[in-house]
Amino acid sequence: MTNSDVVAFVLFGGSGDLAKRKLYPSLYLNFIKGLLPGDCKIFSVSRLSEEVQAFQAEIFLQLERYVSPSQFSDEKAKAFVKCIRHIQLDVTRDDAWETLETHLERFRHAPIVYYLSVAPRFFGDIAKGIASVSLNQNGARLVVEKPFGHDFESARALNKELRLFFDEHQIFRIDHYLGKESIQNILALRFSNNIFESQWHAGAIESVQITVAEKLGVGDRGDYYDNNGASKDMLQNHMMQLLSIVAMEPPFAFSPDAIRDEKVKLLRSLRPIDADSYSDSCVRGQYVSGQGEASYLEDVDKESSDCETYIAIKGYIDNRRWAGTPFYLRTGKRLAGGVGEIVINFKPSNPELIKSKDGLCSNNKLVINFQPDQDIFLFINKKDNQSESFSVDTARLQLSTKSGDLKQPYERLLGHVLAGDQTLFVRDDEIEVAWKWLDQLAASWEQGGSSPYPYKGFSQGPIEADKLFVESNGWEPIK
Ligand code: BG6
């Protein structure tokens, strides 16, 4: 990564929860590693009036709380908070932009990062306001959080609106899954190991499973969640990103656009789930009470809701590499475990010739756990050395090695923003094609009038999801 020449980091929503829990701590980690230039100023923008020293002291406490003890230093945290300034500004007022200009005037000749940690309805106005005082130039970058639109049309309109004021190469759309260490590792695993790369296709792979399960319910985000559900909250963004990284073609170069071109191509070849294929391809669920915890309806305080807290799909990718290989994706809240996992199931090899003691020979399997632990396991068969006859048993090889503090997603993503590297950010066409696919899926379930199936809190999800399987192995258990 190149050294950053960013002179000011402007954080809209700088007094908010995300900023305090994730963004300041991540900026601090970049600061101590020398990735945030020492003379860079951090402007927290919010409607609140904050006395700057009190605000700096508060951020110091947040750093103490959220940065791991091995990376926290009193002295460095003090130096970091000294870079923080506060701008009181109401982005809905016309005079806001002159205020911003006054504060940023002396920085305008070098790159400024604008991070919008605010409700998406403000994105357009903020981009316009910044441009109205010509502060969108000289390498300025605009970082936006999800949700980015609520369907294809709204995402496209938002893209158009932002591009009126910032070029695409200046816009960094965050999907924090792209900042996870193990997700990046998939690219390394796939493209630097011939043993995997040569077998990464329908000829050798029977099926792929991608799971993101959470034990938590919707908590206090009921209002947002009930309008979105697992499909918009997780499937359209994080799950689609995981899928595209697992299944994309090798990029011609390790550059932001070469990688994103391949991800877009992959998403374009994801077969739409239409009303005819819906019942064989998608199952939605909603948690009811389990282990004494409230049901979803109690959590959102409603009599009824068609919002899904679980969604599972069986998808097919219509390209030469993946012809006929099912991709099983599932995500949900209040499930038996909190786990993020990708499982590559290989096809059997000589099942008639060599067997295990019980007559079965397991298929090779590559398991990539990305949370809570970051582990990679390869299951291979070997001769069973305790058996009188020639038979095999399965060994689980751990391919991951533990190292010190791994970068957290926001630390890595902010580091990339500072360096002006868009590899880990979602491009305009990528977000639109993912929405288009999801819109079709949503239209299919609406057409069929299907409601989510109930599933018990802390269970494996609705049993109806088992029917998606075409082979015998079924879902990996959520633990
Ligand atoms: C967010 C969703 O984008 O991702 C949340 O809005 C979800 O509902 C979260 O809990 C999961 O992120 P992670 O990193 O904890 O898997």
Side-chain angles (χ1 to χ4, degrees):
M1 240 175 350
T2 50
N3 274 343
S4 176
D5 47 359
V6 166
V7 289
F9 192 102
V10 183
L11 184 44
F12 287 85
S15 305
D17 181 54
L18 180 76
K20 288 180 184 163
R21 272 188 307 112
K22 302 273 187 201
L23 303 178
Y24 295 114
S26 304
L27 280 171
Y28 164 80
L29 292 170
N30 278 289
F31 174 81
I32 61 172
K33 291 173 187 162
L35 299 171
L36 182 73
D39 54 355
C40 176
K41 293 283 170 277
I42 299 166
F43 291 92
S44 159
V45 179
S46 79
R47 272 181 309 179
L48 306 175
S49 123
E50 307 266 15
E51 197 279 308
V52 75
Q53 276 175 354
F55 190 67
Q56 290 176 346
E58 191 196 338
I59 300 304
F60 182 89
L61 293 178
Q62 303 295 344
L63 297 181
E64 243 181 341
R65 184 164 170 201
Y66 291 113
V67 172
S68 72
S70 62
Q71 303 195 81
F72 181 83
S73 125
D74 229 53
E75 195 190 326
K76 289 177 185 159
K78 277 185 189 143
F80 172 77
V81 297
K82 275 202 185 132
C83 304
I84 300 179
R85 303 283 179 273
H86 180 260
I87 306 178
Q88 185 181 9
L89 180 146
D90 179 348
V91 299
T92 60
R93 287 175 55 127
D94 287 343
D95 60 5
W97 310 109
E98 280 170 29
T99 309
L100 187 76
E101 190 179 21
T102 315
H103 286 273
L104 297 184
E105 188 52 44
R106 69 192 171 98
F107 301 99
R108 68 159 68 243
H109 300 295
I112 300 177
V113 172
Y114 302 96
Y115 194 113
L116 311 195
S117 176
V118 294
R121 66 179 185 282
F122 298 120
F123 290 175
D125 284 347
I126 295 178
K128 185 176 174 190
I130 294 167
S132 71
V133 286
S134 307
L135 282 167
N136 57 341
Q137 296 160 13
N138 301 319
R141 289 153 216 174
L142 186 75
V143 188
V144 291
E145 274 289 338
K146 85 175 240 284
F148 195 93
H150 50 87
D151 59 9
F152 169 70
E153 286 303 339
S154 58
R156 186 153 76 161
L158 185 53
N159 274 332
K160 269 192 181 158
E161 190 177 8
L162 295 185
R163 283 190 314 245
L164 290 175
F165 313 111
F166 286 82
D167 288 338
E168 180 57 30
H169 75 267
Q170 297 177 281
I171 303 175
F172 292 68
R173 296 175 194 78
I174 293 246
D175 184 313
H176 76 277
Y177 269 53
L178 291 177
K180 293 187 189 248
E181 173 70 23
S182 320
I183 305 307
Q184 291 214 295
N185 197 21
I186 297 171
L187 295 175
L189 262 186
R190 282 194 58 189
F191 299 128
S192 68
N193 292 296
N194 199 332
I195 54 167
F196 294 131
E197 189 172 12
S198 62
Q199 301 302 306
W200 213 259
H201 53 74
I205 292 178
E206 190 167 80
S207 68
V208 176
Q209 280 190 33
I210 304 180
T211 300
V212 179
E214 294 178 271
K215 277 180 116 166
L216 293 174
V218 294
D220 55 9
R221 296 166 74 222
D223 280 348
Y224 152 80
Y225 198 87
D226 204 52
N227 286 316
N228 289 280
S231 54
K232 293 185 180 178
D233 187 47
M234 296 289 293
L235 180 61
Q236 183 274 341
N237 38 68
H238 308 322
M239 302 296 282
M240 288 291 125
Q241 287 297 326
L242 295 176
L243 172 68
S244 59
I245 289 175
V246 168
M248 72 188 207
E249 294 299 313
F252 77 89
F254 222 76
S255 68
D257 275 328
I259 293 177
R260 296 185 304 173
D261 283 347
E262 294 306 334
K263 284 164 66 194
V264 175
K265 253 168 58 193
L266 189 280
L267 291 176
R268 286 212 173 100
S269 36
L270 182 59
R271 188 183 300 169
I273 296 180
D274 60 18
D276 289 340
S277 55
Y278 178 78
S279 62
D280 292 333
S281 313
C282 179
V283 170
R284 294 158 68 232
Q286 187 183 90
Y287 64 82
V288 295
S289 146
Q291 294 184 10
E293 290 289 338
S295 66
Y296 173 71
L297 292 178
E298 287 164 330
D299 278 347
V300 294
D301 199 15
K302 283 190 138 189
E303 295 270 296
S304 71
S305 165
D306 261 354
C307 172
E308 77 286 341
T309 58
Y310 171 101
I311 189 161
I313 65 147
K314 177 174 70 191
Y316 286 95
I317 294 165
D318 287 328
N319 66 15
R320 191 182 154 106
R321 179 184 292 269
W322 294 116
T325 305
F327 282 75
Y328 297 96
L329 272 55
R330 72 184 153 163
T331 182
K333 297 216 181 268
R334 198 58 105 224
L335 291 167
V339 54
E341 181 179 85
I342 296 165
V343 179
I344 312 291
N345 282 304
F346 290 89
K347 288 190 166 166
S349 154
N350 294 314
E352 294 310 320
L353 186 64
I354 299 181
K355 300 192 192 301
S356 65
K357 255 191 296 195
D358 58 10
L360 298 166
C361 177
S362 305
N363 294 358
N364 294 137
K365 190 160 89 167
L366 178 69
V367 177
I368 303 167
N369 290 127
F370 53 91
Q371 53 203 34
D373 299 320
Q374 320 228 3
D375 279 316
I376 302 171
F377 297 108
L378 180 64
F379 291 76
I380 61 156
N381 296 312
K382 59 164 191 58
K383 185 175 167 302
D384 180 351
N385 54 16
Q386 300 301 310
S387 163
E388 296 301 325
S389 61
F390 186 88
S391 67
V392 292
D393 60 6
T394 303
R396 189 180 87 150
L397 307 186
Q398 176 148 18
L399 304 186
S400 40
T401 48
K402 296 264 179 260
S403 37
D405 280 319
L406 292 176
K407 276 194 181 178
Q408 293 304 306
Y410 274 98
E411 178 193 349
R412 173 173 288 116
L413 294 173
L414 289 183
H416 276 65
V417 171
L418 292 168
D421 180 340
Q422 289 187 305
T423 311
L424 302 180
F425 297 86
V426 188
R427 208 169 58 187
D428 51 359
D429 49 351
E430 210 176 337
I431 224 154
E432 289 177 17
V433 71
W435 273 122
K436 206 172 208 166
W437 182 86
L438 188 72
D439 284 358
Q440 162 73 73
L441 178 71
S444 304
W445 82 60
E446 273 158 24
Q447 206 172 323
S450 76
S451 293
Y453 295 106
Y455 65 95
K456 238 177 151 180
F458 306 103
S459 68
Q460 297 289 314
I463 45 167
E464 287 79 2
D466 293 349
K467 75 173 188 206
L468 297 180
F469 271 82
V470 282
E471 325 98 8
S472 54
N473 49 352
W475 293 109
E476 293 287 325
I478 297 172
K479 288 187 262 189

